[in-house]
């Protein structure tokens, strides 16, 4: 086994500065794009909160199911990122290989979206089966039947984003995401409450506003990559009707563990929302607010993890073992440091953050109090949350996806869920116990991810495997 100190014996400060510069150049648009995308979701949560705690709880429960399945499909598409990056690193036949991978992503969407939409159409039945009240299930279904159609443009936008990121030019995604904040806020506000001459559609308006926003953003990105000189040479949509079974199956083989890993993490958080529903509607609303705040900070290490996948993948394609180590550790150190700073802010001023989403009035006192307690626990798991997502991105760049799936299964569903149920219901710690369980699961996964990264040489992960 060779350590990183042995792999990088002569790497001076200039190499690390160059890597930091390259990493940050790639990561900052991704981080901000992630952040702006999450702000779009947070805007929906904010507007639902203005409708009332019950509407917020219903929409949150429905969205949590959507997020879980969205991430499963997204994982299949995320596999295109290291595949494209490795092809570009090898340089030979890069244009053809990138186009084949992109086309495989299009076919995956064509195969998976129809059954997914059928599932979402009946989300109310799923919510009832998970023990939610008739009122929450009915309102959640009303919202999601308008919202569910945004999954197609959202997923296609992510596939296009992987393409521009692999070429290390992700800034266009940032600017479109920034524009999307304003478009979504205006559309959803107008359609929910009835402004600009539009009818007040309530929950339906919120779902419709998100669908129109993502359709607009996706259409704009398609036009850009089809016309920009740097991108159009790939002819991404050329003969898109040709089904490439070999590349599509390769994308599935690499991507299904990524999607399953992400879905397992989100699934635990979604299930936690349903546990909150067993405790009461105020607990669900408080969980939604605390989770949105935690999700906003999470967007930075998520972007660093995405950048690490590309940078590590490029180094893997070149056969540059020292470059692999520098790319991974640079992203990890920066991301964990940022999350440490965010943890301090959450711990010091949790109430000020919570009341950004909920008016500080007597009728919201219970929800605010619960959300503040949850956010203090969220502060404690900021470090491990950042460590695990960047660790996953580092391993993804090495095309290592199956063991991270095992880590997620054990960490989230055995350690995290087990501790959450024990603390919440056996010890009667209720909502805080659920959040401590979530934090424990994240910590377990973070330790396992970084252990595998450290062992990458002895495990043979730095040798490029084709297929």
């Amino acid at each position: 086994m060779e350590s990183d100190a042995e792999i990088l014996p002569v790497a001076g400060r200039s190499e690390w500065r160059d890597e930091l510069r390259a990493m940050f150049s790639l990561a900052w648009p991704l981080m901000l794009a992630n952040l702006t995308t999450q702000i779009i979701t947070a805007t929906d949560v904010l507007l639902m909160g203005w409708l009332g705690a019950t509407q917020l709880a219903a929409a949150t429960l429905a969205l949590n199911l959507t997020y879980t399945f969205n991430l499963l499909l997204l994982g299949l598409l995320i596999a295109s990122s290291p595949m494209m990056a490795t092809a570009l690193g090898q340089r030979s036949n890069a244009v053809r290989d990138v186009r084949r991978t992109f086309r495989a992503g299009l076919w995956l969407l064509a195969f998976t979206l129809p059954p997914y939409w059928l599932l979402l159409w009946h989300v109310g039945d799923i919510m009832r089966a998970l023990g939610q009240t008739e009122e929450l299930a009915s309102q959640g279904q009303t919202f999601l039947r308008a919202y569910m159609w945004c999954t197609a443009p959202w997923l296609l936008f992510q596939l296009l984003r992987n393409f521009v990121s692999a070429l290390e030019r992700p800034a266009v995604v940032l600017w479109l995401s920034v524009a999307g904040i304003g478009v979504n806020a205006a559309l959803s506000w107008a359609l929910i409450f009835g402004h600009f001459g539009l009818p007040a559609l309530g929950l339906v308006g919120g779902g419709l506003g998100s669908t129109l926003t993502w359709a607009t953003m996706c259409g704009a990105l398609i036009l850009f990559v089809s016309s920009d000189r740097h991108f159009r040479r790939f002819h991404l949509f050329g003969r898109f009707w040709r089904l490439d079974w070999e590349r599509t199956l390769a994308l599935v083989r690499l991507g299904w563990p990524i999607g399953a890993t992400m879905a397992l993490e989100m699934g635990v958080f979604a299930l936690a929302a349903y546990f909150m529903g067993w405790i009461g509607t105020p607990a669900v609303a408080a969980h939604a607010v605390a989770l949105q705040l935690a999700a906003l900070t999470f967007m930075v290490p998520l972007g660093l993890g995405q950048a690490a996948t590309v940078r590590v993948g490029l180094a893997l394609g070149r056969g540059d073992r020292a470059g692999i180590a520098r790319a991974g550790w640079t992203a990890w150190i920066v991301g964990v440091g940022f999350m440490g700073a965010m943890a301090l802010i959450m711990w010091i001023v949790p109430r000020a953050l919570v009341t950004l989403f909920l008016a500080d009035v007597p009728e919201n006192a219970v929800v605010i109090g619960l959300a503040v307690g949850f956010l203090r626990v969220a502060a404690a798991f900021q470090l491990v949350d950042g460590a695990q997502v960047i660790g996953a991105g580092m391993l993804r760049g090495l095309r290592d996806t199956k063991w991270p799936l095992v880590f997620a299964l054990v960490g989230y569903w055995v350690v995290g869920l087990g501790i959450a149920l024990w603390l919440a219901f056996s010890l009667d710690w209720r909502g805080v116990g659920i959040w401590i369980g979530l934090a424990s699961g994240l910590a377990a996964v973070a330790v396992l991810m970084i252990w595998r990264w450290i062992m990458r040489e002895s495990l043979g992960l730095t040798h490029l495997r084709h297929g």
Side-chain angles (χ1 to χ4, degrees), residues 122-336:
H122 297 285
V123 72
D125 296 330
I126 299 173
M127 293 174 67
R128 293 182 190 95
L130 290 172
Q132 302 308 306
T133 66
E134 177 60 34
E135 182 180 24
L136 289 177
S138 177
Q139 292 198 33
Q141 180 169 285
T142 296
F143 169 75
L144 205 61
R145 285 185 173 179
Y147 179 89
M148 57 184 275
W149 309 110
C150 80
T151 53
W154 180 77
L155 287 166
L156 180 53
F157 187 89
Q158 305 310 315
L159 179 61
L160 288 161
R161 169 182 167 152
N162 291 342
F163 166 68
V164 299
S165 298
L167 271 71
E168 301 189 86
R169 293 189 60 190
V172 59
V173 176
L174 167 62
W175 303 126
L176 286 176
S177 299
V178 170
I181 294 174
V183 171
N184 183 70
L187 279 174
S188 295
W189 178 69
L191 289 167
I192 290 172
F193 299 106
H195 298 288
F196 307 134
L198 297 173
L201 300 177
L203 288 171
V204 172
L208 185 58
S210 295
T211 297
L212 293 173
T213 297
W214 281 109
T216 301
M217 292 170 61
C218 182
L221 188 52
I222 290 172
L223 288 175
F224 184 84
V225 299
S226 300
S227 58
D228 182 81
R229 178 180 56 83
H230 192 73
F231 297 131
R232 67 188 179 198
R233 62 192 175 97
F234 289 88
H235 301 291
L236 290 181
F237 294 95
R239 298 181 178 178
F240 66 87
W241 56 86
R242 288 189 174 182
L243 176 55
D244 184 341
W245 278 112
E246 180 184 359
R247 184 57 57 94
T248 303
L249 291 175
L251 191 62
V252 171
R253 283 195 298 270
L254 183 61
W256 81 261
I258 300 174
T261 300
M262 297 170 69
L264 284 172
E265 179 183 2
M266 187 64 234
V268 165
F269 281 89
L271 196 57
Y274 282 83
F275 292 159
M276 296 293 183
W278 298 351
I279 295 169
T281 298
V284 179
H287 177 76
V289 172
L291 192 59
Q292 279 302 315
L293 288 165
L296 287 171
T297 63
F298 179 74
M299 293 302 107
V300 171
L302 177 61
L304 283 164
Q306 292 164 335
T309 296
V310 173
R311 294 292 301 165
V312 170
L314 289 169
L316 179 67
R318 297 192 304 266
D320 181 1
R321 290 161 57 229
I324 289 172
R326 280 196 298 273
W329 284 120
T330 298
W332 194 86
I333 292 169
V334 172
V336 172

Side-chain angles (χ1 to χ4, degrees), residues 108 131 147 413 443:
L108 279 178
Y147 179 89
W413 288 81

Side-chain angles (χ1 to χ4, degrees), residues 359-373:
D360 196 357
V361 294
E363 52 266 34
N364 287 337
V366 173
V367 177
I368 290 172
L370 289 171
V372 167

Side-chain angles (χ1 to χ4, degrees), residues 409-432:
L409 181 62
V410 173
Y412 299 134
W413 288 81
V414 177
V415 177
L417 189 60
I419 292 175
L421 290 172
W422 175 59
L423 292 177
F425 300 108
S426 295
L427 297 187
D428 201 30
W429 288 19
R430 301 173 72 80
V432 170

Side-chain angles (χ1 to χ4, degrees), residues 36-50 180-189 192-193 206 210 292 296 357:
T36 53
T37 299
Q38 188 60 36
I39 289 172
I40 292 174
T41 302
T43 301
D44 291 335
V45 172
L46 177 67
L47 293 171
M48 298 304 169
W50 290 357
I181 294 174
V183 171
N184 183 70
L187 279 174
S188 295
W189 178 69
I192 290 172
F193 299 106
S210 295
Q292 279 302 315
L296 287 171
F357 288 82

